[in-house]
Amino acid sequence: MDTNTQKFKVRLGLFIVGGLGLFVVAIFLIGRQKNLFDPVFKITTNFYNVSGLLVGNNIRFSGVNVGTVGNIDILNDSTVKVDMLIKKDVRRFIKEDSEVAIGSEGLIGDRLLIITQGSTEASEVLEGQHLLSKEPVETDAIMSSLKITAENAEVISQELAEIMLKVNTGNGTLGRLIQDSTIAENFNQTILNLKRSSKGLDENMEAAKHNFLLKGYFNKKEKLALKKKKAAMDEARKLKNN
């Protein structure tokens, strides 16, 4: 290909201009997303574990992206300092008692910082001020807990399956009670015997009332009951008249 022709030079110039244009647009979009062209102020917070947080991750307040993570610095074995660059126009909404927590964009998205709303009595945050933080719940800890729960559920399911198998095959006390017809018949016979015994006891009591040896006792008991009933009626009548 002849690289000195006018047509080739025009194509090369258009390619370079187009490339530069795309580069400028990309820089503008990234800069706008990362707040490179907005006036910002810095506040800080400390975490024991930043759980994968990176420089440049978003910061949200009331669900709106208001800044980015400016810097992450390990101070010692138990403290990680995080610098936050926040848009100046939202500074009046962030209070001194606001707290910072680590969240994620979606279920498995990038990490981000979430600034909670402070109290209405608190003053607005100052440049360079340190905010309290909430330690994140590690995904590994959640998965470990879910794994233990799943293992326990599996054990319980196996035990229930064994119990149902014994019941269906007639083994064990419950299985025999349900599957063995002899036990059910014995149970019904026991109920019938109890009913007959109760009926016989009533008949014996009625016969005892007419026995001349016990007749005085039952008459005395009946008179005493009538006396108590009359006394109760007299008391109720007095209360009604008063």
Side-chain angles (χ1 to χ4, degrees), residues 175-188:
R176 288 196 299 273
L177 182 62
I178 296 176
Q179 299 293 338
D180 194 342
S181 58
T182 304
I183 295 178
E185 292 176 358
N186 293 337
F187 182 75
N188 291 332

Side-chain angles (χ1 to χ4, degrees), residues 85-103:
L85 302 177
I86 310 294
K87 294 179 181 177
K88 280 191 173 181
D89 56 356
V90 298
R91 175 177 167 178
R92 63 183 185 278
F93 303 118
I94 302 175
K95 306 297 183 180
E96 291 179 333
D97 58 355
S98 295
E99 295 181 333
V100 185
I102 296 178

Side-chain angles (χ1 to χ4, degrees), residues 30-69:
I30 294 174
R32 184 178 180 184
Q33 184 179 6
K34 299 301 180 182
N35 301 312
L36 297 179
F37 308 117
D38 295 324
V40 296
F41 71 102
K42 186 177 78 173
I43 52 178
T44 64
T45 189
N46 291 341
F47 288 98
Y48 177 79
N49 184 347
V50 295
S51 189
L53 186 71
L54 300 174
V55 173
N57 284 157
N58 289 323
I59 300 173
R60 286 181 182 171
F61 177 78
S62 296
V64 180
N65 291 334
V66 296
T68 55
V69 176

Side-chain angles (χ1 to χ4, degrees), residues 1-237:
M1 179 184 291
D2 188 0
T3 59
N4 294 321
T5 61
Q6 189 67 26
K7 188 175 182 181
F8 176 80
K9 292 179 180 178
V10 171
R11 287 180 178 178
L12 179 61
L14 291 174
F15 177 78
I16 294 174
V17 172
L20 288 174
L22 290 175
F23 178 75
V24 171
V25 170
I27 291 295
F28 174 76
L29 293 176
I30 294 174
R32 184 178 180 184
Q33 184 179 6
K34 299 301 180 182
N35 301 312
L36 297 179
F37 308 117
D38 295 324
V40 296
F41 71 102
K42 186 177 78 173
I43 52 178
T44 64
T45 189
N46 291 341
F47 288 98
Y48 177 79
N49 184 347
V50 295
S51 189
L53 186 71
L54 300 174
V55 173
N57 284 157
N58 289 323
I59 300 173
R60 286 181 182 171
F61 177 78
S62 296
V64 180
N65 291 334
V66 296
T68 55
V69 176
N71 188 36
I72 299 175
D73 189 18
I74 300 176
L75 299 182
N76 52 51
D77 60 348
S78 61
T79 306
V80 179
K81 180 184 177 183
V82 178
D83 294 339
M84 297 173 285
L85 302 177
I86 310 294
K87 294 179 181 177
K88 280 191 173 181
D89 56 356
V90 298
R91 175 177 167 178
R92 63 183 185 278
F93 303 118
I94 302 175
K95 306 297 183 180
E96 291 179 333
D97 58 355
S98 295
E99 295 181 333
V100 185
I102 296 178
S104 61
E105 297 187 36
L107 189 59
I108 55 175
D110 293 337
R111 288 294 190 179
L112 54 80
L113 290 181
I114 300 173
I115 300 178
T116 63
Q117 296 175 340
S119 62
T120 55
E121 299 82 10
S123 304
E124 69 180 48
V125 72
L126 302 175
E127 170 77 28
Q129 188 163 352
H130 181 87
L131 297 182
L132 297 178
S133 64
K134 295 179 180 179
E135 289 298 326
V137 178
E138 290 292 329
T139 305
D140 293 341
I142 297 174
M143 297 303 295
S144 178
S145 177
L146 290 176
K147 182 181 178 182
I148 294 174
T149 303
E151 291 175 350
N152 292 336
E154 183 180 1
V155 172
I156 294 172
S157 177
Q158 289 177 352
E159 292 178 349
L160 286 176
E162 292 175 358
I163 292 173
M164 292 305 298
L165 181 61
K166 289 182 179 178
V167 170
N168 291 332
T169 55
N171 295 324
T173 304
L174 184 59
R176 288 196 299 273
L177 182 62
I178 296 176
Q179 299 293 338
D180 194 342
S181 58
T182 304
I183 295 178
E185 292 176 358
N186 293 337
F187 182 75
N188 291 332
Q189 188 62 41
T190 302
I191 297 298
L192 289 175
N193 292 336
L194 287 175
K195 289 182 177 179
R196 289 172 182 170
S197 299
S198 177
K199 184 178 180 181
L201 181 61
D202 292 340
E203 292 175 354
N204 291 334
M205 290 296 295
E206 190 64 25
K209 290 180 180 178
H210 296 86
N211 189 292
F212 73 95
L213 294 176
L214 301 175
K215 191 173 182 179
Y217 169 76
F218 284 106
N219 288 337
K220 185 178 179 181
K221 189 175 179 180
E222 186 176 355
K223 289 179 180 179
L224 183 61
L226 290 173
K227 187 177 181 180
K228 289 183 177 178
K229 182 178 180 181
K230 183 179 179 182
M233 292 177 64
D234 292 341
E235 185 68 23
R237 194 178 296 111

